[in-house]
Amino acid sequence: IGKHNSHVYSVTFSPDGKTIASGSSDKTVKLWDLNGVLLQEIKHNGWVRSVAFSPDGKTIASGSDDCIVKIWNLKGALLQDFEHEYCVTSVAFSPDEQFIASGSADKTVRIWSLDGKTLQEFAHNDWVQSVAFAPDGKTIASGSDDNTVKLWDLKGRTLQEYKHTDWVRSVTFSPDGKTIASGSADKTVKLWDLKGNLLRTFEDDIMVNSVAFSPDGKTIASGSSDKTIKLWDLKGVLLQEFVH
């Protein structure tokens, strides 16, 4: 079992499934093998809110309360860093590895080239908590404390806006890119199509902090503040519940 010295905010597998990256309020990103052996430790100057592997598994992006997005190789060498005005809450690589998206408490989503240039900036009205690229890399979804999920193209145009009744904590695309799932402090997971239509609402008992699709796109997992992980089918039927 791998351990940090404080809360863990983000975990992700490498594309080959052999390595796990974790980000923590102990101000570190740690890389582990599947036996819990620490492979590498990377330091920020603030809580690490989000970590993401590049699709080829050779680099890691991390976002922190130090307002910085950092790009690292697996040996811990810093390759590039990008700066927001306030803490960075979410980071994601584009599928073609040409861009990085980041969300921040400065109320923006930013698209960066790998050499550190800001290519686009999209605005929300409150903290951006989650960003995700569509599988084809042509659009980005973002979730914000302004109670909205927004769908953008890479030129910064808003394609759709979806509304919750409270903070949006997490957004993700289905593997086929045809639907978006969002989790919110309004105690729901919502499933949307790309035309702005609400397809399904899954009712939870408390704030939903994280959502993810299964690789086959047939199941949604949600994590909430009641210390549970719930599995749902796409019709909203609760399949399983795991308790922390």
Side-chain angles (χ1 to χ4, degrees), residues 100-130:
I100 289 173
S102 57
S104 170
D106 64 16
K107 306 178 185 180
T108 68
V109 177
R110 296 186 186 180
I111 307 300
W112 313 84
S113 61
L114 297 189
D115 59 3
K117 294 178 182 176
T118 304
L119 303 177
Q120 291 293 344
E121 183 176 310
F122 319 147
H124 274 272
N125 294 318
D126 208 328
W127 283 37
V128 178
Q129 296 286 357
S130 183

Side-chain angles (χ1 to χ4, degrees), residues 71-172:
I71 311 301
W72 319 80
N73 65 22
L74 301 191
K75 295 181 180 179
L78 180 64
L79 306 177
Q80 191 61 254
D81 58 14
F82 321 140
E83 189 167 356
H84 276 270
E85 274 68 53
Y86 293 100
C87 66
V88 179
T89 57
S90 185
V91 292
F93 280 91
S94 62
D96 63 5
E97 302 179 28
Q98 298 301 304
F99 311 111
I100 289 173
S102 57
S104 170
D106 64 16
K107 306 178 185 180
T108 68
V109 177
R110 296 186 186 180
I111 307 300
W112 313 84
S113 61
L114 297 189
D115 59 3
K117 294 178 182 176
T118 304
L119 303 177
Q120 291 293 344
E121 183 176 310
F122 319 147
H124 274 272
N125 294 318
D126 208 328
W127 283 37
V128 178
Q129 296 286 357
S130 183
V131 294
F133 275 96
D136 65 5
K138 295 180 179 180
T139 54
I140 294 169
S142 57
S144 169
D145 285 353
D146 65 10
N147 303 352
T148 69
V149 176
K150 292 187 177 183
L151 183 65
W152 318 81
D153 67 18
L154 299 190
K155 293 182 179 180
R157 293 177 294 199
T158 306
L159 304 176
Q160 293 294 343
E161 182 173 311
Y162 315 97
K163 291 187 177 181
H164 279 266
T165 59
D166 208 332
W167 304 337
V168 179
R169 310 297 289 178
S170 182
V171 293
T172 187

Side-chain angles (χ1 to χ4, degrees), residues 42-75:
I42 301 160
K43 293 185 178 181
H44 272 270
N45 292 315
W47 294 7
V48 179
R49 300 277 186 175
S50 183
V51 291
F53 274 96
S54 60
D56 66 5
K58 295 180 179 179
T59 53
I60 296 166
S62 54
S64 167
D65 282 3
D66 62 14
C67 310
I68 304 293
V69 177
K70 294 187 176 184
I71 311 301
W72 319 80
N73 65 22
L74 301 191
K75 295 181 180 179

